[in-house]
C-alpha cells in the first residue's frame, strides 16, 4: 500500500481517497464512511476533525497501524468490532465480539418500550422494567437514559456480554441497572413482578446461519443469533414464562424477524388459555418490516 520510498506523501486526505477506492474495489459497504471511521479511530480523533486537518501528513507508525485496520475490514471484520464502538439511539456503545452489534432496526423496540412506559394505564409511580438477553445493553441502557426514574434490571447468559453492558450503563445512563447472569428469567426472584419486559432474543433459523454475510457469520456471537430450527425457540421459552412475571396489564415486547409474525401468533394461541395474554400486536420498523411484537397480559 504505502510507498516505502515516499512515506511523507500520504496526508489524511490522500490516504482517505486511496482507501475509499481500495474498499470499493473489494466491494466493502460505504467505502468512504468506512475509511473515515477507521482513520479517525486510528488517529484517535473525531471523524469531522479529519477534514480540519486534511493536509496533515501521516507518520510512518500511523500508516502502519492504519494498514492493519484496512486489512481487518477487508477480511470481513465489522467496523464496530475494529473501532470497539457503535452508535445506537443517540449514544455511543462499546462493543466487543462478546456482544451482537446493535442494529438500527432495534431502535424500534426502544421506541415502543418508551411508549409503554409513558402509557397512562401505569402513570405515576416508578415501574419495574427488565430486559432479557441484554448483550451490549443497548436496549436497557437507552431506555434507562430516556426514561430515568424507573427500576431497571437486565439478564444475559454470557458474563462477557454483561461486562460490556455494565460498562455501557456506567458511561451512558445515570439510572442504575441491575445486571445478572442468567438464562432469560432464571436470575430474577420467582415472585418478582414487572410492568415491562423487553427482549431481542436470537431469532435466525439455524439453517439460515450459513447464508448470512461473512461479517455476521464469522464475527458475531452465534449465541445471540441462532434461534433454533424455526428461529422461534427463544420466543417459546420467554412466552412460556413471562406471564408469571408480568403485572396484570403489563407488557412484553419482543423484537422479531420480518417473517415471524404468524409464528408468534401461533405460539400465543397454543398456550393454555393463552396464559392470559391478549392477541399480539405488531409494529413495523422504518423499512416496513414487522419488527416488534407487543404482547400484553390481561388486566383480570
Ligand atoms: N437482526 C439481526 C440480524 O439480522 C438478528 C438479531 C437477533 O437474532 N436477535 O442479524
Amino acid at each position: 500500500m504505502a510507498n516505502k520510498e515516499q512515506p511523507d506523501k500520504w496526508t489524511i486526505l490522500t490516504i482517505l481517497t486511496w482507501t475509499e477506492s481500495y474498499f470499493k474495489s473489494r466491494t466493502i459497504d460505504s467505502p468512504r464512511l468506512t475509511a473515515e471511521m477507521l482513520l479517525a479511530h486510528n488517529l484517535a480523533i473525531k471523524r469531522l476533525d479529519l477534514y480540519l486537518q486534511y493536509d496533515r501528513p501521516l507518520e510512518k507508525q500511523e500508516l502502519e497501524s492504519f494498514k492493519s485496520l484496512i486489512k481487518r475490514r477487508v477480511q470481513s471484520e465489522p467496523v464496530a468490532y475494529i473501532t470497539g464502538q457503535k452508535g445506537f439511539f443517540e449514544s455511543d456503545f462499546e462493543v466487543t465480539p462478546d456482544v451482537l452489534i446493535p442494529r438500527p432496526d432495534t431502535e424500534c423496540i426502544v421506541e415502543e418500550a418508551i411508549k409503554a412506559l409513558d402509557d397512562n394505564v401505569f402513570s405515576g409511580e416508578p415501574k419495574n422494567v427488565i430486559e432479557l438477553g441484554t448483550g451490549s445493553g443497548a436496549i436497557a441502557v437507552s431506555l434507562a437514559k430516556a426514561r430515568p426514574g424507573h427500576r431497571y434490571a437486565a439478564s444475559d447468559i454470557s458474563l462477557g456480554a454483561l461486562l460490556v453492558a455494565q460498562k455501557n450503563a456506567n458511561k451512558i445512563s445515570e439510572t442504575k441497572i441491575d445486571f445478572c447472569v442468567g438464562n432469560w428469567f432464571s436470575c430474577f426472584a420467582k415472585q418478582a413482578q414487572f410492568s415491562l419486559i423487553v427482549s431481542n432474543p436470537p431469532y435466525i433459523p439455524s439453517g439460515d446461519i450459513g447464508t448470512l454475510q461473512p461479517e455476521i457469520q464469522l464475527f458475531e456471537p452465534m449465541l445471540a443469533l441462532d434461534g433454533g430450527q424455526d428461529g422461534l425457540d427463544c420466543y417459546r421459552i420467554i412466552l412460556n414464562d413471562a406471564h408469571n412475571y408480568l403485572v396484570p396489564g403489563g407488557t412484553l415486547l419482543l423484537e422479531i424477524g420480518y417473517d415471524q409474525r404468524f409464528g408468534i401468533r401461533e405460539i400465543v394461541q397454543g398456550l393454555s388459555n393463552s396464559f392470559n395474554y391478549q392477541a399480539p400486536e405488531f409494529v413495523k420498523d422504518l423499512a416496513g418490516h414487522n419488527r416488534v411484537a407487543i404482547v400484553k397480559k390481561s388486566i383480570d
Side-chain angles (χ1 to χ4, degrees):
M1 171 181 105
N3 180 335
K4 284 211 166 88
E5 273 72 55
Q6 301 170 280
D8 282 355
K9 83 172 191 162
W10 294 105
T11 63
I12 285 182
L13 194 60
T14 58
I15 195 77
L16 275 180
T17 308
W18 184 90
T19 309
E20 178 187 13
S21 73
Y22 179 61
F23 279 157
K24 225 180 250 169
S25 74
R26 305 296 297 258
T27 62
I28 297 293
D29 268 354
S30 313
R32 182 72 180 197
L33 177 63
T34 303
E36 290 174 3
M37 288 170 85
L38 294 182
L39 187 58
H41 173 70
N42 189 57
L43 301 177
I45 60 176
K46 293 203 168 69
R47 234 179 85 215
L48 277 182
D49 290 338
L50 293 171
Y51 292 98
L52 299 176
Q53 308 173 25
Y54 69 94
D55 234 359
R56 142 140 132 67
L58 266 76
E59 312 273 345
K60 194 162 176 277
Q61 219 22 59
E62 292 170 337
L63 208 54
E64 281 307 307
S65 52
F66 185 50
K67 198 156 94 177
S68 78
L69 302 188
I70 294 174
K71 223 188 211 162
R72 286 168 66 183
R73 182 65 196 95
V74 167
Q75 287 166 350
S76 300
E77 187 167 346
V79 178
Y81 289 147
I82 300 175
T83 63
Q85 293 285 315
K86 178 73 184 180
F88 177 84
F89 209 82
E90 299 164 16
S91 300
D92 276 330
F93 284 80
E94 179 176 322
V95 294
T96 72
D98 275 324
V99 303
L100 198 72
I101 299 166
R103 313 289 205 255
D105 304 336
T106 299
E107 296 186 345
C108 189
I109 195 171
V110 178
E111 279 159 8
E112 289 309 310
I114 290 173
K115 282 188 208 159
L117 284 176
D118 292 351
D119 195 329
N120 288 333
V121 175
F122 298 115
S123 65
E125 331 107 51
K127 292 148 201 166
N128 292 332
V129 181
I130 53 168
E131 185 189 2
L132 307 173
T134 192
S136 67
I139 298 174
V141 172
S142 299
L143 206 49
K145 185 185 175 200
R147 290 296 180 271
H150 298 291
R151 287 180 290 263
Y152 292 94
S155 69
D156 203 289
I157 198 166
S158 154
L159 179 61
L162 284 177
L163 295 175
V164 177
Q166 182 71 68
K167 266 197 207 167
N168 283 321
N170 294 345
K171 195 181 73 180
I172 296 165
S173 157
E174 287 185 10
T175 302
K176 183 167 152 275
I177 302 173
D178 287 321
F179 291 103
C180 59
V181 190
N183 200 3
W184 310 124
F185 290 98
S186 70
C187 59
F188 299 111
K190 281 269 174 290
Q191 308 305 322
Q193 293 284 288
F194 307 106
S195 298
L196 179 62
I197 300 172
V198 295
S199 186
N200 172 19
Y203 56 68
I204 311 277
S206 306
D208 290 357
I209 298 281
T211 68
L212 299 172
Q213 56 195 109
E215 276 78 358
I216 302 177
Q217 216 182 120
L218 300 177
F219 291 93
E220 299 214 72
M222 273 315 125
L223 193 60
L225 290 165
D226 190 339
Q229 198 179 353
D230 64 358
L232 300 169
D233 280 1
C234 302
Y235 302 120
R236 289 190 187 91
I237 299 170
I238 293 172
L239 283 160
N240 212 52
D241 261 1
H243 66 106
N244 289 319
Y245 292 91
L246 279 173
V247 300
T251 302
L252 167 67
L253 295 176
L254 297 168
E255 178 169 318
I256 60 166
Y258 71 98
D259 57 353
Q260 291 176 323
R261 180 182 160 163
F262 294 107
I264 297 286
R265 270 225 167 107
E266 256 178 43
I267 294 171
V268 173
Q269 280 166 359
L271 298 169
S272 104
N273 209 14
S274 291
F275 283 168
N276 259 353
Y277 295 127
Q278 296 175 2
E281 290 168 41
F282 297 90
V283 181
K284 292 193 161 106
D285 62 18
L286 291 175
H289 298 129
N290 283 305
R291 185 58 62 196
V292 176
I294 305 178
V295 189
K296 289 195 175 155
K297 186 170 160 177
S298 301
I299 304 268
D300 32 82

